[in-house]
Amino acid sequence: MKTFKSIEKKAQILGLPMQDLFTLLFGLSIAMVLGIVINFFLPVSKYYFFAVLIATFGAFFLLKRINLRKHPSFLFSLISYRLWQPKHLEVWGRTEYGSLDTGSKQLQ
């Protein structure tokens, strides 16, 4: 079966997968809005906003470097693994806890 790499390749913007870039920009937007909201109640230094921009550019270049190693959507995979995926499996009424690294399991 003939496959076309250009069709199967993920969409990229500025050298990053589109999903990672939008997640990064979403984080930048949340940090900026949070700084503006906090500034209504407490004075926030201009260095906070400068630090957010520097951290965003640093994360951008780090993600570009990771993407050179062809890791599939690194940032979104990390967020999904840490926040959304359950830490245990439930199989036929039994709950299995364990680590993927060591292979140890504890049945209840």
Side-chain angles (χ1 to χ4, degrees):
M1 178 181 207
K2 192 174 184 180
T3 59
F4 298 99
K5 295 286 184 183
S6 61
I7 295 175
E8 295 176 1
K9 190 175 180 181
K10 285 189 173 187
Q12 292 197 355
I13 300 174
L14 299 174
L16 282 180
M18 194 167 56
Q19 194 173 23
D20 280 354
L21 182 65
F22 287 152
T23 305
L24 187 64
L25 291 177
F26 179 73
L28 170 68
S29 302
I30 292 296
M32 288 293 185
V33 168
L34 184 66
I36 292 169
V37 169
I38 290 174
N39 196 25
F40 283 131
F41 304 108
L42 301 170
V44 176
S45 174
K46 62 183 174 186
Y47 297 116
Y48 168 78
F49 297 104
F50 186 66
V52 168
L53 285 175
I54 294 296
T56 302
F57 281 121
F60 174 76
F61 289 118
L62 180 67
L63 286 172
K64 267 189 94 150
R65 186 172 185 141
I66 290 172
N67 191 38
L68 289 177
R69 302 193 194 294
K70 302 297 181 200
H71 189 284
S73 184
F74 179 78
L75 183 61
F76 199 73
S77 299
L78 181 68
I79 291 172
S80 173
Y81 178 73
R82 293 291 178 198
L83 298 179
W84 296 324
Q85 291 180 359
K87 303 297 182 225
H88 61 274
L89 297 174
E90 192 169 315
V91 181
W92 291 312
R94 295 186 329 192
T95 304
E96 295 184 15
Y97 296 93
S99 172
L100 295 175
D101 297 331
T102 60
S104 64
K105 292 181 184 171
Q106 202 178 38
L107 298 177
Q108 288 183 344

